[in-house]
């Protein structure tokens, strides 16, 4: 069975995450993105990263985030969050995360996150197992652009037509 490569879920923007303008606070985007990705990976790939960490002593830590805010997400708005693996290696994983309006006609934000796989007991980088590498290969949905800035321009151009 072929795995879904672009994962998707919907979420409502909550009051406590908004600024005085009723816009999603810039720092809250990270939580919405990461929480959506965590739920999507469990649902679609049967991979619970917390259970994985407990069982193997290994998990992923954030190495970097790059985010572009395009249009504000607003209080009580239902948004669609899409995530996809765009690159992976023996010890790393890169994911693209996009937030859209409910109907996916208006891009709200785009983020690239890079993760490093670590041995939690030793606090050192670890190598992905063959099983994880096989999962990443099936889930891989690479993008053409080589830099985050190029990707933001490309995604905005497609949606502005």
């Amino acid at each position: 069975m072929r795995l879904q490569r672009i994962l998707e879920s919907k979420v409502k923007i909550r009051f406590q995450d908004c600024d005085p303008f009723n816009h999603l606070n810039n720092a809250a985007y990270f939580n919405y993105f990461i929480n959506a990705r965590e739920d999507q990976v469990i649902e679609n790939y049967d991979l619970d990263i917390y259970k994985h960490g407990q069982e193997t002593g290994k998990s992923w830590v954030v190495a970097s985030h790059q985010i572009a805010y395009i249009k504000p997400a607003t209080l009580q708005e239902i948004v669609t969050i899409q995530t996809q693996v765009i690159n992976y290696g023996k010890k790393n994983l890169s994911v693209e995360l996009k937030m859209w309006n409910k109907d996916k006609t208006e891009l709200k934000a785009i983020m690239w996150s890079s993760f490093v796989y670590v041995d939690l007991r030793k606090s050192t980088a670890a190598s992905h197992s063959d099983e994880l590498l096989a999962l990443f290969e099936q889930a891989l949905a690479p993008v053409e652009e080589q830099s985050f800035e190029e990707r933001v321009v490309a995604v905005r151009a497609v949606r502005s037509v």
Side-chain angles (χ1 to χ4, degrees):
M1 184 172 91
R2 188 143 177 85
L3 291 181
Q4 187 75 21
R5 291 178 180 220
I6 299 176
L7 308 182
E8 186 174 297
S9 56
K10 293 188 183 338
V11 66
K12 183 187 284 188
I13 303 301
R14 299 295 180 181
F15 173 79
Q16 72 266 14
D17 300 319
C18 292
D19 63 20
F21 303 105
N22 289 328
H23 295 160
L24 183 61
N25 181 283
N26 64 310
Y29 281 81
F30 295 98
N31 290 331
Y32 278 78
F33 279 137
I34 297 301
N35 290 337
R37 180 67 183 172
E38 175 189 332
D39 293 343
Q40 292 167 357
V41 167
I42 291 170
E43 183 178 321
N44 291 275
Y45 303 150
D46 195 30
L47 175 60
D48 181 328
I49 62 171
Y50 299 106
K51 184 177 176 185
H52 176 83
Q54 290 173 338
E55 291 175 354
T56 66
K58 297 174 184 168
S59 194
W60 296 266
V61 298
V62 174
S64 68
H65 288 306
Q66 291 177 281
I67 190 167
Y69 305 100
I70 313 298
K71 299 252 185 197
T74 57
L75 178 63
Q76 296 293 306
E77 179 178 10
I78 304 292
V79 296
T80 301
I81 297 178
Q82 292 180 319
T83 71
Q84 66 198 73
V85 173
I86 58 172
N87 195 8
Y88 70 93
K90 192 170 186 166
K91 297 181 180 187
N92 63 299
L93 181 69
S94 297
V95 179
E96 178 175 274
L97 308 100
K98 295 187 292 273
M99 182 183 289
W100 302 91
N101 65 340
K102 184 178 181 179
D103 302 323
K104 296 183 290 188
T105 58
E106 182 178 80
L107 183 64
K108 304 286 184 173
I110 183 171
M111 183 167 84
W112 277 6
S113 292
S114 296
F115 302 90
V116 174
Y117 195 56
V118 296
D119 184 314
L120 299 170
R121 297 174 195 124
K122 298 177 184 175
S123 294
T124 58
S127 295
H128 288 125
S129 66
D130 290 341
E131 293 81 15
L132 286 172
L133 291 171
L135 171 66
F136 301 155
E137 182 60 31
Q138 290 181 49
L140 184 65
V143 297
E144 290 182 27
E145 297 77 20
Q146 296 299 305
S147 75
F148 179 70
E149 293 76 14
E150 290 173 357
R151 181 65 173 159
V152 171
V153 170
V155 172
R156 287 181 82 169
V158 168
R159 290 298 169 177
S160 65
V161 175

